[in-house]
Amino acid sequence: MASADPSRGFMKDVKRIIIKVGTAVVSRQDGRLALGRVGALCEQVKELNSLGYEVIMVTSGAVGVGRQRLRYRKLVNSSFADLQKPQVELDGKACASVGQSGLMALYDMLFTQLDVSSSQLLVTDSDFENSKFRERLSETVESLLDLKVVPIFNENDAISTRKAPYEDSSGIFWDNDSLAGLLALELKADLLILLSDVDGLYSGPPSEPSSKIIHTYIKEKHHYEITFGDKSRVGRGGMTAKVKAAVLASNSGTPVVITSGFENQSILKVLQGAKIGTLFHKNASLWEPSKDVSAREMAVAARDCSRRLQNLSSEERKKILLDVADALEANEDLIRSENEADVAAAQDAGYEKPLVARLTIKSGKIASLAKSIRTLANMEDPINQILKKTEVADDLVLEKTSCPLGVLLIVFESRPDALVQIASLAIRSGNGLLLKGGKEAIRSNTILHKVITGAIPCNVGEKLIGLVTTRDEIADLLKLDDVIDLVIPRGSNKLVSQIKASTKIPVLGHADGICHVYIDKSADMDMAKRIVMDAKIDYPAACNAMETLLVHKDLMRTPGLDDILVALKTEGVNIYGGPIAHEALGFPKASSFHHEYSSMACTIEFVDDVQSAIDHIHRYGSAHTDCIVTTDGKVAETFLHQVDSAAVFHNASTRFSDGARFGLGAEVGISTGRIHARGPVGVEGLLTTRWILRGRGQVVNGDKDVVYTHKSLPLQ
């Protein structure tokens, strides 16, 4: 089920729904009926019917369908000479008359297949001038709904008093959008859904990159901000007509949602309270300030502060980091106290031990974080470094320089120390930062954020680093691809996957940390024991902890391997076996090789040789960190160069895969992707490039007077 939005909680009380289907939804680009979309729509109506909802439909499309059919018939019956003459546009009323029967035949056939009965009701605007008609209409619809029949309305364009179906907007209603709005009031509907060919109402034409979807329409805020594009390619009024109808219906008490008829299960998602489409509600103005505004304001503030940070000198930025380190140490007791409260609450709530372990700020952790920050502060300033210098032509010099990405959104689970690392890296790299930690660490994150932002000078602004406190704000922030430049999720596979599927903003990170240690037949087994034990038990919840132990088959039942397995068991590690290890050694069978335990557990399996180990890693690994233990240099080089992971080690624990241990000062996370940054991501991973060209009045002018030299120049 789609996650519900709090502002749409009223959906649970909805019983009677009117669904208006636009022409662009029921027809294809060539004018023919879109059978797949109409079929999917009917399936949703069938499900709603079976769930007890009362569904009324208003459909467009008759004129378009009729026009396509009549054009074809005219073509078949035309001579070659007829086709040479200027073609007269077909009469709209004739098109409506022909198309209506075909459109209703399709609905009847589809609903019959779904064991649903439907009925056709054709109306004109003049009908509603008669109070007796309106009374009889209500009685008829009530009777149909009691019988579980789906009434399908359409304006009877064939006999309408209008000159043509696409002209004259006078009358009680003037198109099927306004008809749907009128019926919502006449028939006392609880909800009106207007299906369109776009996701909802945008601030401008949807095709423009700067246009943003408006999830809740507030007249006082949006009426003068919206710029409408062209009307529907086939319908009568497009989005302008839908908004007008939605405003009238919602002001009269019927909530309206404009959403896409192209999206799978869109009607059902609306009724589940999902935040899709645009909601019109008479109480919407009371819901201010909206989260869209606060999320954007937070992101824009971070961007503005980051630009002020970039304008500081290198020494001034360095001093901010040193002040942050001092502030952390000065407030260690307060930080530890708040963290202990989070840990106690997590334990009382029954959280699993690995999560509690990640949540805990252990003794000495604050001092370690402060040391890392000072190391970072004393590193070479990463901003405005000249990376490449080229003489393009005489007195025309091009410089490739480093610069910040802009604004980062980091979503992380459990680990409050991640907040400190990420914040320090953002300051060093000149980036604005928005942080969302797990709810289980709310007190720890709040105090750490307060301590760190308190050390940021006023000429930069504490809004350089924003702390997001609710999950709803994340959904809004993920839409701000015009302000936020990079999202880095740090957490479970589910978290990373959800974020990647929810945003257009580039996402950097890894979904799993399935790290392998392969013990080759030539390995020093004492060394192998040290590496395996460290990789598994030093910090089992870390993403760089060993999850799978691969062993050369020749080492099966040898004293060296037996010693390692006994040591793991003695430390409390639960060992699971792959098919071979399960059969040979009797370990419980592992449910999957592609599994991250994040706890005192691991899988063991035997392989034929180094190539088999590499193949296993490529098939089941997560491209995070993998290690070989061997004294055979040739085998080691094969492993190091063929394993396609972000970090590959020889005779060293996977736990070394860490930004601080790599000398990066700290890390925002570990990336297993291939674009921009890979492995532990430190300052360099938060930078991009800017091209600076220095000339003396040169112009291109068709390259007539330019002699290109493209000569590399010294950086200094």
Side-chain angles (χ1 to χ4, degrees), residues 73-88:
R73 185 53 50 197
K74 186 177 180 181
L75 177 64
V76 170
N77 294 324
S78 296
S79 66
F80 181 76
D82 292 333
L83 295 175
Q84 305 309 305
K85 300 174 184 177
Q87 299 299 302
V88 178

Side-chain angles (χ1 to χ4, degrees), residues 626-689:
D626 299 290
C627 157
I628 182 172
V629 184
T630 184
T631 58
D632 187 323
K634 185 176 180 181
V635 169
E637 291 304 309
T638 298
F639 188 90
L640 294 174
H641 290 99
Q642 290 190 24
V643 171
D644 192 14
S645 297
V648 190
F649 299 165
H650 174 209
N651 290 347
S653 169
T654 56
R655 291 280 293 123
F656 280 106
S657 189
D658 175 84
R661 296 185 179 100
F662 277 15
L664 306 180
E667 68 177 36
V668 293
I670 293 180
S671 171
T672 56
R674 301 173 186 278
I675 305 298
H676 183 67
R678 199 175 188 207
V681 180
V683 169
E684 289 185 3
L686 303 181
L687 300 174
T688 185
T689 55

Side-chain angles (χ1 to χ4, degrees), residues 194-237:
L194 301 176
L195 296 180
S196 179
D197 56 353
V198 293
D199 293 333
L201 175 62
Y202 283 74
S203 57
S207 58
E208 293 185 2
S210 60
S211 297
K212 301 299 171 186
I213 193 168
I214 297 167
H215 282 297
T216 302
Y217 178 87
I218 300 171
K219 184 176 180 181
E220 297 81 359
K221 172 183 166 187
H222 296 121
H223 181 67
Y224 298 105
E225 294 180 359
I226 298 169
T227 302
F228 291 101
D230 297 333
K231 77 174 191 69
S232 167
R233 60 177 171 84
V234 285
R236 195 174 305 174

Side-chain angles (χ1 to χ4, degrees), residues 257-419:
V257 174
I258 300 176
T259 191
S260 173
F262 288 59
E263 182 180 338
N264 186 38
Q265 303 287 295
S266 58
I267 299 172
L268 296 173
K269 289 176 182 177
V270 167
L271 289 166
Q272 290 166 0
K275 193 173 185 177
I276 65 169
T278 302
L279 171 66
F280 293 73
H281 195 287
K282 66 178 182 180
N283 296 328
S285 61
L286 304 178
W287 301 340
E288 286 275 54
S290 73
K291 293 183 178 66
D292 285 332
V293 174
S294 62
R296 176 169 290 277
E297 286 178 346
M298 185 184 296
V300 169
R303 182 182 63 188
D304 293 343
C305 291
S306 74
R307 288 170 177 167
R308 291 195 289 272
L309 176 64
Q310 294 166 37
N311 289 333
L312 299 183
S313 68
S314 177
E315 285 301 312
E316 288 173 316
R317 285 194 296 272
K318 175 180 177 180
K319 185 178 184 304
I320 295 175
L321 281 174
L322 295 176
D323 289 345
V324 168
D326 292 343
L328 287 171
E329 290 181 329
N331 290 276
E332 179 173 3
D333 290 343
L334 180 57
I335 294 168
R336 290 285 302 278
S337 175
E338 292 296 284
N339 179 248
E340 287 168 2
D342 279 336
V343 171
Q347 290 172 333
D348 291 343
Y351 283 105
E352 295 181 356
K353 288 183 179 180
L355 185 144
V356 176
R358 291 193 294 270
L359 175 62
T360 305
I361 297 178
K362 297 178 181 178
S363 177
K365 187 63 177 180
I366 295 297
S368 174
L369 290 169
K371 181 180 178 181
S372 295
I373 294 172
R374 293 187 179 104
T375 299
L376 189 62
N378 290 313
M379 291 171 64
E380 183 180 14
D381 190 350
I383 305 175
N384 299 322
Q385 292 292 316
I386 299 175
L387 307 175
K388 186 177 181 181
K389 196 170 185 179
T390 304
E391 179 191 82
V392 176
D394 189 34
D395 286 331
L396 190 62
V397 177
L398 179 67
E399 296 174 350
K400 182 180 182 182
T401 64
S402 59
C403 67
L405 285 170
V407 177
L408 315 174
L409 171 59
I410 317 293
V411 185
F412 58 100
E413 295 178 340
S414 307
R415 292 180 54 185
D417 59 305
L419 185 150

